Amino acid sequence: MKKLTLGFMLFALSAATMFSSCNKDDDDDDDNKLSTLSASWNGGSFSSSLAGFYKNSPSEAGSTKLFSSSDGTTTIAASEKGRQLAITIKGTTSGTYKLNVSAENAVTNALINLLSGEDVESALKNSVEAETKAMVIYRANGETEGGSTYYFSTNAEVTFDNSFIYYATGTFKAKMRNKAGDTFEINDGNYKVFGI
């Protein structure tokens, strides 16, 4: 039901944006739009006013073990010219959410946890979960995991502010890669979106 409601909200927002852009006095820059998600990187960019966010309850968020959370999860997503950009954070409240899945970081954290007296299972679990609070996905429309245009973050930082409950703003940066090892880095991502 939430996805249907989000789809309707996104359609209404895009229609409102399209009709308001017909006015000659409107500027085309993102500062004048109510709902946007944008990012740029060396050789590419993404900018869309067809953007929104939705929150999953803890039971809905539990379907993905990496992002299961007792607080639920939040997804911020947008489409533009056959491409999609999505950010998922492990939580539903304002804050900064990070991801760091480099092998070096996980091994270092596991060793620290183990030497601090944790049992092996807890040390490994806590070393990975400590830095898996956010994920950024960029893909061509319909691309599946492992495809050449399916990129996922290996390092990310997302700020999320939903002080207005149904309106969220924030920034993000991420190191992206695909299965083949191709990479790019987003340093200036930002969003302001309506959601549920």
Side-chain angles (χ1 to χ4, degrees), residues 78-118:
S79 285
E80 182 231 10
K81 298 178 184 171
R83 301 177 298 160
Q84 298 169 336
L85 183 61
I87 304 162
T88 300
I89 57 173
K90 195 184 243 185
T92 58
T93 58
S94 296
T96 299
Y97 298 84
K98 296 181 180 182
L99 168 74
N100 189 346
V101 293
S102 69
E104 180 181 304
N105 186 61
V107 170
T108 301
N109 286 340
L111 184 58
I112 290 168
N113 292 339
L114 190 59
L115 294 173
S116 298
E118 290 187 26

Side-chain angles (χ1 to χ4, degrees), residues 98-103 105 131-132 134-136 151-157 173-178 182-184:
K98 296 181 180 182
L99 168 74
N100 189 346
V101 293
S102 69
N105 186 61
E131 291 292 321
T132 56
M135 176 62 72
V136 179
Y151 286 82
F152 52 90
S153 57
T154 57
N155 189 293
E157 182 174 305
K173 56 185 178 180
K175 291 181 180 176
M176 308 292 290
R177 66 162 288 160
N178 64 8
D182 302 322
T183 63
F184 66 89

Side-chain angles (χ1 to χ4, degrees), residues 55 91 118 129 133 135 163 182:
K55 296 178 183 179
E118 290 187 26
E129 287 186 359
K133 306 282 187 202
M135 176 62 72
S163 302
D182 302 322

